[in-house]
Amino acid sequence: DGGGGVGVAAVASPNPSPSKPGGGRSPPTSSTATALALREESARRGRPGAGSGRSGINRAGGACQLYQASVFCHHLFLSSVPVASLEEAVSFHTVLVLIRSGLADVGDEIELRDVGQFTDKFESVVDASCKVVGVKRQSLGLALRPIVSALAEVGKQITGHTTTDVRAALAQRTRLLDAKAAG
């Protein structure tokens, strides 16, 4: 870590969701979603080789006092708009972690290289994640950049262009994966 990361795993939910009678859980609220997302992110960081090393909440550029949330999933680097408030960055990170969690098993439901199907699923997961946390999608400023490992082929990762257009990012991702598969 280059020292720019912020330790968000210590942030706790002020209102944990109590268990319902019969063993069920209450629907997630903003505070419980934050706690769950941060707990999941903390556990994920313990896995060797997980993510791209830049996931989490980081300072956006040099001496800048802005924070930017990011995660990596399905060959996509997702990032929020940089914000001055660490609290807002934690909320954005929670949304991004929920997006990643919501897409974890998406390959079981749809063909991931079908840009149309994946775009529809991606958009619905983003909207649901924003709703759970109480963040407006426009204020999140979601940006996507495809990243495909080609270490065996060319000795580096291949990165696409950063865009806010989900369909364009997924199409770029598919082209990079197809090129890697073709050699």
Side-chain angles (χ1 to χ4, degrees):
D1 185 318
V6 177
V8 296
V11 177
S13 169
N15 301 316
S17 177
S19 291
K20 287 183 177 178
R25 301 284 300 166
S26 298
T29 63
S30 176
S31 59
T32 57
T34 301
L36 291 171
L38 294 175
R39 188 176 322 126
E40 188 271 345
E41 179 68 10
S42 178
R44 185 195 64 77
R45 285 187 176 178
R47 292 196 322 253
S52 66
R54 297 173 291 197
S55 292
I57 298 174
N58 296 290
R59 296 264 170 124
C64 186
Q65 293 299 314
L66 298 176
Y67 300 97
Q68 186 171 32
S70 58
V71 299
F72 185 80
C73 84
H74 290 292
H75 301 283
L76 291 168
F77 184 71
L78 311 175
S79 60
S80 71
V81 65
V83 292
S85 162
L86 180 58
E87 183 177 320
E88 189 173 14
V90 169
S91 293
F92 287 173
H93 186 253
T94 301
V95 171
L96 296 178
V97 170
L98 290 173
I99 291 168
R100 183 179 60 214
S101 296
L103 294 172
D105 297 325
V106 74
D108 297 340
E109 301 170 27
I110 62 169
E111 170 53 47
L112 293 178
R113 292 192 185 190
D114 182 322
V115 174
Q117 281 186 347
F118 197 9
T119 299
D120 293 343
K121 178 66 175 177
F122 194 95
E123 295 281 7
S124 68
V125 168
V126 171
D127 291 340
S129 299
C130 286
K131 185 176 180 180
V132 166
V133 179
V135 167
K136 291 182 180 172
R137 183 171 177 167
Q138 294 78 14
S139 63
L140 178 64
L142 181 63
L144 303 93
R145 182 176 63 233
I147 301 177
V148 174
S149 176
L151 294 174
E153 294 83 0
V154 294
K156 63 180 181 175
Q157 290 184 333
I158 307 299
T159 60
H161 298 286
T162 302
T163 180
T164 58
D165 182 338
V166 172
R167 184 174 294 277
L170 294 175
Q172 228 182 121
R173 171 193 168 277
T174 298
R175 285 192 305 275
L176 290 173
L177 289 171
D178 289 346
K180 178 181 176 175

